[in-house]
Each structure stands twice: as structure tokens, then as C-alpha cells.
Amino acid sequence: MNARDAIQLRMYIVLVLLGLIPLLVAARIGLIHLIEGDELRARGEQQAHSEQVIPAMRGAILDRQGNALAINTATYDIALDPTVDGFAGVAERFYEALASVTDRSATYYRNRVRSRTSPQYVLLRRGLDESQRSVIEEWSVPGLIMTPRFARTYNHGTSAAHILGHIGSDGEGLAGLELQYNEYLTGTPGRRAVQRDRRGQIKALVGGREVAPQQGQSLVLTIDRMWQVALEDELARGVREQGAAWGTAIAMDPRTGAIRAMANVPTYNPNRASAFSDAQRRNRAITDRFEPGSTFKFVTAAAALEQGHVTLQDTIDTGDGWAVYSGYTMRDISAYGAIPFREVLAKSSNVGTAEVASRIQPGTLYQYARNFGFSQPTWIDLPGEVSGVLRRPSEWSRTTPTSMSIGYEVAVTPIQLLSAYSALSNGGVLVKPHVVAERRDYRGNTLWEAEPDTIRRVVEPETAALLTEALQDVVEEGTATAARIETVPIAGKTGTALAAQGGQYTRNQTRASFVGSFPADDPEVTLLVLIGAPQQGMYGGDVAAPIFNRIMRRWLTTLPGTSARLMQAATLPEDTTATPPSVQSVQSVQPATLSVDDPATMPDFRGIGMRTALHWLEAQGVDVTLRGTGVVARQSIEPGGALPEAVTLISE
């Protein structure tokens, strides 16, 4: 065969092979159609028809008045499948347009797409708002994927942050009530059938199956926002003025255990929780232990009184202000000599308290401390609570009985101390504290409501009444006169405890505290103020008691019982040395409107005591100028108008 024939033969062979390729492809297609057709058609149908998750809305968190503290706002995540036909032609215009409606550059989005790990999916941006979503969807970009979500918004920033907590990027609770009640707040997502066209656009499938989401439950708290703000303001002011490292304050209804306000300094903003340290996010009110110092003395007093070891009238010899117990020297600030046990509490005598404690059996003192709730969690409905430290008598040293009697060799949390004092205030019953009052569905129907939870009786009502009466002396003439408020009795106890550093107590790291009930004869609230490492003072009466006083003054007219007392006191002149108006003139003037229903309206103070009017106005934040003493005859702002920033009251 010559060369020409060989070349022609090879050409024929190639042409035949080329002619066979379409036949082979057709045969393969036919084979696939016959053998795998059903499976492939089902897979294609599945790709075109899929389900889209419908997110459930997280429940809101409200204060006791219905004010929203944590709510949801609709946001959208934008993602992209850059392999969809038609995207490449509009990619550059899309990057530039997306940059114009967001806070990222076109280069950022271009690099996100270029460096994606999944061929058909890349997340471009989270948290777009409704206006951004509507603009972007108008572009009709092939392959664009818009996923709706709900973002959490804390309306008042740092306010009540340690109570509310915060959520993570996946919407799950990470701290506070958001974590504690996450299963109720979260809800259950729904789903709907959707269809994806060749351009990657997702559309609802007409007649497709849809399961509606079950929205999360809402929480109604025992917290009052007005109280919370006042507590936070005054606590922050106190920490700042004292140059302190930190501070904690908690208020509680002693009858029900409802927490009315709770705050810590430093605090954080749950809207951007990751920007704050763990120390700032820590809820010291339930996580930190400290030696309570003299605030613990009421436990010793309760045990001694109820077991008959002493009465309030019995004389206790405190000597020259010092005494030695089991080789340890106990000291007082001053030498009080022989004083009644009532004054031992009022003056916070360490020597007198230790003397009384030496009469109590160790097991008895330990049992009273346990009965008051020390060494055990209070089981408040907030995450992260720790137990205190209270050693068994078998583990005590020689100094433990007297040291523990004045609040050393025992560690408590702020919430434990407040709960114990509340038991004393309500007549001797320990109640469980709680923050959530109700759970409601998204329609507002109540699903669950908190009830007062009694744990145990700690002391008899007679003992509680005696101690409460004695603790009024602490405020009236003892170590806590800075907490005193005229017209309303307060019972409380100061505490000053040294902190340990390197195995030694140091006066540079004190814990100054005051815990009290208000009003003492019918308590509506107990309040604890604890200040850590103050630099301008060290004693609870100088550091914590003034903060307690300022908080209570701001709450005065919002307490129903206290408001009624003020209204009653307001109808009588206070200064008997001044010339009182005649009975007829007083009766012709309408009494001051001190009702909490309308605190924004200027009352009529004519015929009312100057001091009572002053207290009411200062509690509302009004700057008051007094001219004269006795009763109010004239006022610079007429009654019935809006409450002013400043007012002058004039007597005759």
C-alpha cells in the first residue's frame, strides 16, 4: 500500500469514529433515560422544589408595667450562588451597588466571592434592615439568596443588662434571662415549600405545603423600669464618688420574693456584648461571695434572742472597746462600756456581739445561719448563682464562733444576704426570690404566673418584730443615720468587712454594705447596697447608707403604702413654732395631690408642711427653693400644670 492509500485509510477510520460519537452519546442518553431517569427526575424536582425555613420570632421581655426591655427587629442575611447563569455579567455592577447600601466596600464583596470555600454558596452580609432588603431585591440579581432573621434589640442599652443577659449570633441565649428562659423565648421555626428557577431566584410554590412557626413566649418581669433606672443611677454615682472598684444593689419585695431592681457596676451593653469583658458581664449579685461583716450580726442576735440567751434590755459589758476570745483580739471603733444589747446592735459593737455569741452553742448558731439560707443557693431564676460558704461546726477553729458572729469565716452572696434580711422583715419566713412574674404567648395570653414560694420559717414573728425594732435604732441613732428618711421608719444594718490579700486582711480593700427594709413597720421593700474597695471611706454607714438613702428618696412616692403615709402627713403642719393657718383656711385648700397615678402634674401644696412638700418634689427630681418654715402658703408654679424643673415654696 502506497503512502496515499494509507493516508486515505486513516482518514476513513477517523471519520467513522467521529460518526460513531453521536451514536454513542445518544445511546448513553437513552440508557440513562431508561435506567436512571426516574431517580434523576426526582433529584431535579427536589433541587427545583425545596423547603425554606420560616424563623420563629423570639419572645419579648417586658417590665412589670409592660414596658419593652428586649424586643425583636426583622433583619436579613444576604448570600450568593455565583455559579448561576447570568451572574457573571452583572457581578461588578452588583458589588458596587451592594457597597453603596452597606458599610463594606466593593472590593470586600469581590474578595468574599473569590475566596469562597463552597462553589455554590457564599455569605456576603448579615443583619440588613428592611429598607436595605427592599432596595437589593429590586436589582433581581441572579443567584441572590435573601434569608430573613430576627435580631434582638435591648431598648435601654445598659439598663438591666445583667438581668436580661444577651444572645449569640445564632439567636440562642448566652446569659441572664435570655439563657435561663431560652427554651420558652425561642419558639419553633416553620417552613414553606419554594421553587428555584434557572436564574437561582427563589419563589413561593403555589399550593405548596407551609407550616407556620410557633412564636416564642414573652416574659413579664417583677422589675420596675423606673425603679431600675433610679437604682442604677445612684449606684453608679456612689461608686464614682467613692472611687470604688465595683458596686452591687438589689431590691426585693420581702413578702413575695419579687425582685424589684438589680444592678451592678461596672455593667455592659447587651446590644454589643462581645465588646465587653467577662468581668463587666458578670452578675456580681448572684456570682460573687464576700464576708458580710456586721450585716451578719442580725443572725447572731436572732439566735440569742429566740434561744433566751439575752433580751434587748440586758446589759452587755463591752469594756474598753476590746476583748480577747480564743487568743484573738476583738476590737470596737470606740469604747462603749456597759450598754444594753439593743445598743450593741445600734453601735455595731464587735465585742458585745462576740460576748453574746459565746453563750450560744456552735450547733445552734450554725443551724440559724443555715435556716436563714446561708451556704445554699436561693434558686433565683437567673443562671450562674453560686452557694455561700458556711462550714459545719466539726470543721470550726477556736475563733470561728466569735468570728462568724460578726460576719467573718463565712462567705455569702448579695442575693443570699438580701433574702435572709427579707425573712427578718416579713415576720420570719424565708421566701424564694424571682425575677419573672409571668410567661405569655405572642397574643398576650398568660400561660404561667409566679406565686410566692415559701421555703421555711426561720424565726418566730415575735423575734422578727423585736429585731426589726432594734434595727430601727441603727438608722435613727446608730451607725446608719445617713440612711434615715424623715416621716418613714427604716430598719437596717451596716457592714464593713476587710478583704483578704495574700492571706492577710487589708484595710485598702473593704466591702462596705447596708441592708434595710422600708418602711420598717410594714416593709414594702428590702434593699441591699454593697460597695467594693471604696477609696473615700470604708464603713458601711459612710459609704453604702447614703446610696440607700438617695435610692429610697427617689422611690418614695411610687410605693403605695408609703405614698399614703406621705399624703396623710401632708395634711398636717410640721412646724408647730410657726403660726398655723386656721382650721377653716386649711380645709378650704385642696390637699396636695401626691397620687402616684399622675406624678407629672404639679400638686397644690398650700396648707401642706414645707418638709413634706420638699421630700415629694425632690423624689421627682425637682429643684426646690424654700422661703420660710412651717406650711406652704404660696408656690411659684400653679397647681395642675406640668411638673417643672424648679419651684419655689413660700410660707407666711
Side-chain angles (χ1 to χ4, degrees):
M1 182 181 296
N2 57 34
R4 180 185 179 89
D5 293 338
I7 292 172
Q8 288 180 342
L9 179 61
R10 285 196 293 268
M11 290 178 59
Y12 291 145
I13 293 173
V14 169
L15 290 174
V16 170
L17 291 175
L18 290 175
L20 289 175
I21 289 175
L23 296 176
L24 292 173
V25 171
R28 179 60 179 164
I29 292 174
L31 186 64
I32 290 174
H33 179 76
L34 293 173
I35 298 176
E36 303 178 25
D38 292 341
E39 180 183 349
L40 291 175
R41 277 191 293 272
R43 190 178 301 176
E45 187 75 14
Q46 183 179 10
Q47 290 178 348
H49 298 167
S50 60
E51 286 190 332
Q52 184 182 51
V53 173
I54 307 173
M57 185 169 64
R58 193 174 180 84
I61 303 179
L62 316 172
D63 81 343
R64 66 196 301 263
Q65 306 294 345
N67 299 308
L69 303 177
I71 60 172
N72 300 288
T73 53
T75 64
Y76 301 86
D77 294 347
I78 180 173
L80 179 69
D81 179 357
T83 65
V84 171
D85 291 342
F87 174 74
V90 299
E92 290 303 317
R93 282 181 294 161
F94 169 67
Y95 298 146
E96 295 291 341
L98 187 58
S100 68
V101 297
T102 63
D103 57 356
R104 298 286 189 178
S105 66
T107 301
Y108 169 82
Y109 294 117
R110 191 179 298 110
N111 291 336
R112 289 280 296 176
V113 174
R114 186 180 298 124
S115 61
R116 69 187 184 276
T117 56
S118 170
Q120 295 179 301
Y121 182 86
V122 56
L123 178 64
L124 298 179
R125 195 75 172 84
R126 289 187 184 275
L128 299 179
D129 60 30
E130 184 65 35
S131 61
Q132 292 171 311
R133 180 202 64 81
S134 60
V135 169
I136 294 171
E137 285 195 340
E138 289 179 357
W139 303 339
S140 298
V141 176
L144 200 62
I145 304 169
M146 195 77 73
T147 305
R149 297 187 185 278
F150 290 106
R152 200 63 158 168
T153 300
Y154 301 92
N155 290 344
H156 305 288
T158 60
S159 186
H162 293 103
I163 300 171
L164 300 175
H166 58 274
I167 64 173
S169 59
D170 58 356
E172 294 294 306
L174 297 180
L177 294 174
E178 296 281 24
L179 173 59
Q180 186 76 12
Y181 287 87
N182 186 66
E183 63 175 305
Y184 300 105
L185 290 164
T186 301
T188 304
R191 57 188 182 276
R192 69 162 62 93
V194 295
Q195 187 176 31
R196 185 191 296 267
D197 62 19
R198 295 178 60 189
R199 290 170 57 85
Q201 301 289 342
I202 295 177
K203 300 178 181 179
L205 183 63
V206 177
R209 182 169 175 265
E210 180 170 326
V211 178
Q214 295 180 12
Q215 311 297 4
Q217 298 177 22
S218 294
L219 305 181
V220 180
L221 308 187
T222 59
I223 303 299
D224 187 302
R225 168 150 167 73
M226 290 180 61
W227 279 40
Q228 182 69 25
V229 169
L231 187 81
E232 292 168 344
D233 287 350
E234 298 303 338
L235 179 64
R237 173 184 169 186
V239 169
R240 183 174 62 251
E241 290 178 348
Q242 290 294 329
W246 53 269
T248 293
I250 322 171
M252 173 174 161
D253 184 335
R255 300 160 297 189
T256 65
I259 299 296
R260 302 294 298 275
M262 177 188 288
N264 298 280
V265 175
T267 186
Y268 78 105
N269 190 334
N271 288 304
R272 43 190 184 88
S274 61
F276 296 83
S277 67
D278 290 342
Q280 291 169 306
R281 296 196 299 261
R282 187 169 79 245
N283 187 354
R284 293 178 180 270
I286 63 174
T287 64
D288 284 19
R289 301 185 186 99
F290 70 104
E291 289 182 300
S294 295
T295 51
F296 198 80
K297 289 176 180 175
F298 78 87
V299 178
T300 306
L305 287 171
E306 195 152 84
Q307 294 299 313
H309 296 298
V310 70
T311 68
L312 292 177
Q313 292 73 37
D314 286 351
T315 299
I316 307 298
D317 188 3
T318 65
D320 295 327
W322 64 275
V324 178
Y325 294 94
S326 302
Y328 175 76
T329 302
M330 191 79 67
R331 298 185 183 278
D332 286 336
I333 296 176
S334 301
Y336 302 122
I339 56 176
F341 183 54
R342 189 184 191 112
E343 286 190 36
V344 168
L345 293 174
K347 298 181 183 299
S348 200
S349 168
N350 293 331
V351 175
T353 304
E355 170 60 31
V356 170
S358 66
R359 307 175 187 180
I360 307 172
Q361 289 295 320
T364 301
L365 182 58
Y366 169 79
Q367 192 59 53
Y368 270 86
R370 273 194 62 86
N371 287 348
F372 270 109
F374 298 112
S375 84
Q376 310 150 58
T378 65
W379 303 112
I380 186 173
D381 50 344
L382 286 170
E385 183 186 12
V386 301
S387 301
V389 177
L390 179 66
R391 292 181 295 158
R392 299 174 183 275
S394 59
E395 302 170 342
W396 288 7
S397 67
R398 292 181 305 159
T399 62
T400 300
T402 50
S403 293
M404 195 173 84
S405 72
I406 64 170
Y408 285 92
E409 295 193 40
V410 58
V412 306
T413 62
I415 189 64
Q416 280 182 334
L417 184 57
L418 181 68
S419 296
Y421 195 88
S422 294
L424 186 68
S425 302
N426 68 22
V429 177
L430 189 67
V431 295
K432 178 183 174 182
H434 62 278
V435 178
V436 175
E438 294 180 27
R439 294 200 318 266
R440 297 176 180 172
D441 64 21
Y442 73 97
R443 294 186 179 90
N445 301 315
T446 299
L447 303 176
W448 172 88
E449 189 172 359
E451 296 290 342
D453 190 351
T454 298
I455 298 174
R456 71 179 71 90
R457 173 163 289 283
V458 181
V459 293
E460 294 302 317
E462 296 79 12
T463 306
L466 283 173
L467 265 178
T468 300
E469 183 182 340
L471 293 179
Q472 285 184 245
D473 293 347
V474 177
V475 178
E476 293 297 324
E477 54 191 42
T479 59
T481 54
R484 183 173 180 268
I485 297 177
E486 299 83 354
T487 71
V488 182
I490 295 174
K493 188 72 189 73
T494 56
T496 306
L498 304 179
Q501 282 187 336
Q504 299 290 329
Y505 286 108
T506 172
R507 297 173 68 88
N508 296 326
Q509 293 288 328
T510 63
R511 307 288 186 263
S513 59
F514 179 79
V515 56
S517 60
F518 183 101
D521 52 357
D522 185 18
E524 296 184 64
V525 63
T526 52
L527 170 63
L528 171 123
V529 177
L530 173 64
I531 304 298
Q535 301 302 305
Q536 304 303 317
M538 64 176 290
Y539 297 109
D542 299 327
V543 175
I547 301 173
F548 177 99
N549 179 278
R550 292 196 297 265
I551 294 170
M552 281 299 179
R553 286 186 182 278
R554 291 182 64 171
W555 289 353
L556 272 174
T557 56
T558 64
L559 290 161
T562 305
S563 179
R565 287 178 184 231
L566 292 175
M567 292 177 66
Q568 183 177 6
T571 61
L572 298 174
E574 296 184 5
D575 191 344
T576 57
T577 62
T579 303
S582 66
V583 174
Q584 182 177 2
S585 65
V586 172
Q587 291 178 343
S588 65
V589 178
Q590 293 294 321
T593 305
L594 300 181
S595 172
V596 297
D597 295 334
D598 192 14
T601 301
M602 182 65 183
D604 188 346
F605 287 113
R606 291 171 295 181
I608 304 306
M610 295 279 270
R611 189 182 306 166
T612 298
L614 172 66
H615 289 323
W616 192 92
L617 289 165
E618 284 186 340
Q620 306 303 317
V622 178
D623 187 12
V624 183
T625 300
L626 300 180
R627 294 183 183 174
T629 59
V631 297
V632 179
R634 289 177 291 158
Q635 55 193 67
S636 61
I637 303 298
E638 290 297 317
L643 199 66
E645 294 183 0
V647 66
T648 300
L649 303 179
I650 306 167
S651 67
E652 290 183 348

